[in-house]
Amino acid sequence: MTTYGEIVEPYTRACWEDWDELFEEDSARFEWVRKEAIPNAIDCFIVLEGKSFINYIENKSNTKLQYVDSINKIDVTLYKTNELQYVCVVKDNNLLNSSEIVDLLKPYIIVSKDVVTLQTKPLAEYQSMDVTNEMCIIRTVCTSHQSKTNVNFRKLEQPNIITGVSAGVICLREHLGLCGKALVCYLEYIEEHQIEELQSLLKSLNIVSCVDATSNNILDSNLYI
Amino acid sequence: MHYGLIKMNNLDNIWNYSEDTTLDNYTVIFPCVAVGNVAQLACDLLISSLKMTKIASVYSKALIPVVGYDPYDLNSSNLSCSCEMYKSDDKKLIVFQIRAPIVIKYASEFLEEVITKLKEKNIGDMIILTSSFAYEKKHISTSPFRYVSNESCPYNSTVKTLDCLVHESDSDLKIHGGGFASLLYRIASQKLLPCLIFFKYCSEGNNIPDAYEMVEYISKLLPIIFDKKDCMLQFVQPPSWKLLFGKPPPSDIY
């Protein structure tokens, strides 16, 4: 809503924080709730970022996840599937917090032999000259040191990029000279988690025990949302 | 291959240099994330046009993480991250590229580290590029370009010959919409680094012409373009700009 005569400039896509009104120091730092001991070695550390995965994991009884710890003030939970595989589920979608979340995950990331991240994005954000009718496009971003995780998709074409905790984790691994692989799933319907490709991915990463295409109650109902 | 993996201070930043190099008397161009991303687009143009090589990549908690493949070479499998440093030996020029905003609460610490690192490398001077909201321009008929410089800046006489004005500001330098430019300038000046802020008043939209103009002005300050006559024709857009305004419309809408 604007008043008559007011000049309305498009809100800058660049300024995430207001640099012109400096500065109330935000001293709120995040920390682990239980402060669990960091294991000496982890075979694979997985980061799941995006509603589709999270809804699916939370609603299904066939996941293998056991709660380990969580970060206060934001929605980040750490699970393990066994002593050698940890899964971090990131619900917080504030990009400004992502580097701090990565900082808290750093001890786990450093001791891990391999790191895999999965995130979902709306298909509309996928930039390509090719016109396609696919409902789900999966691409990878790999560090210079090759990840041993056997999940292979085409590399993410420029100018597409990934952001958030997944990007931070892969950047950190690259800068430390360690291996890692980011998987990004572009979905037509971002809330949709019945897509077989996603479930197969979770199964191949040993997060769920079987591919289950049964649907969620709300999406199945006659409610139009 | 990583030369000199250096960690320091509370942010635990990682500077990965791909070559062990000194930068004696190099000029550093540093873009700020600001209105229309003009400075970043200008740096993209410089890196692409001068075929600059990446010499360092910085990981910091102060930067919102971004990762993708090399935006200047579509066939490359090298990663590009939030903050990278490019070099042209011929021009004695370093251009930073910042692909994500800096988190305010870590900004001072990070930018201080940037200046310290650059001084350790013995750089000569720094040009900070940024932009400001078009509606902040008070004198309508004047050039859209403004500058601020400290006493030791080597461009103080040259910049006066260009069609741009000194930015009018009180003792506390403010560039509205200019991001961290004034903070970086303050830190550089405190550390006695010759420094110039160069910015353009503009609005969000297609900011490619703004970037072209900015690079044209820089080429008048620095000997970076050989033929001054057709300066803009020598600029090369990076391939990653191809889809700046989105992908083609889906065929099934027709």
Side-chain angles (χ1 to χ4, degrees), chain A residues 7-30 94-104 106 109-110 119 122-133 137 140-146 154-178 180 182, chain B residues 2 5 7 10-12 14-16 33-37 40-41 57-83 99-108 111 133-135 174-180 183 186 202-207 239-252:
Chain A
I7 298 170
V8 182
E9 288 281 326
Y11 183 72
T12 172
R13 59 184 177 253
C15 298
W16 296 69
E17 294 177 280
D18 190 357
W19 283 83
D20 297 336
E21 299 294 330
L22 296 176
F23 294 118
E24 188 75 19
E25 179 71 25
D26 180 8
S27 57
R29 300 275 165 124
F30 307 127
N94 183 356
L95 281 180
L96 287 170
N97 295 334
S98 23
S99 58
E100 275 187 85
I101 296 170
V102 176
D103 205 50
L104 283 172
K106 198 190 250 179
I109 291 166
I110 289 171
Q119 73 178 156
L123 190 60
E125 286 184 19
Y126 178 66
Q127 301 293 333
S128 170
M129 288 303 284
D130 302 328
V131 179
T132 173
N133 292 323
I137 293 173
T140 58
V141 176
C142 301
T143 55
S144 316
H145 290 78
Q146 283 297 311
R154 279 170 61 186
K155 74 169 203 174
L156 184 69
E157 304 91 339
Q158 299 96 322
N160 295 290
I161 51 164
I162 60 168
T163 54
V165 176
S166 301
V169 166
I170 295 301
C171 275
L172 180 60
R173 294 283 289 187
E174 175 73 2
H175 280 82
L176 293 170
L178 302 169
Chain B
H2 298 293
L5 185 71
K7 293 183 185 182
N10 294 336
L11 289 183
D12 228 2
I14 305 171
W15 290 65
N16 272 359
V33 183
V35 185
N37 302 92
Q40 293 158 284
L41 291 169
S57 172
V58 186
Y59 175 84
S60 173
K61 196 165 58 164
L63 293 158
I64 293 174
V66 162
V67 69
Y69 287 106
D70 188 347
Y72 308 110
D73 178 5
L74 295 183
N75 299 317
S76 172
S77 293
N78 297 326
L79 292 189
S80 273
C81 301
S82 306
C83 176
R99 299 193 175 90
I102 294 180
V103 181
I104 285 182
K105 60 183 165 183
Y106 300 119
S108 293
L111 295 174
F133 295 115
Y135 57 77
K174 274 200 170 168
I175 299 169
H176 292 285
F180 56 83
L183 176 63
R186 217 172 298 135
C202 59
S203 300
E204 297 277 1
N206 179 359
N207 298 101
S240 58
W241 282 15
K242 271 185 188 155
L243 295 163
L244 213 54
F245 300 102
K247 54 189 172 184
S251 55
D252 50 5

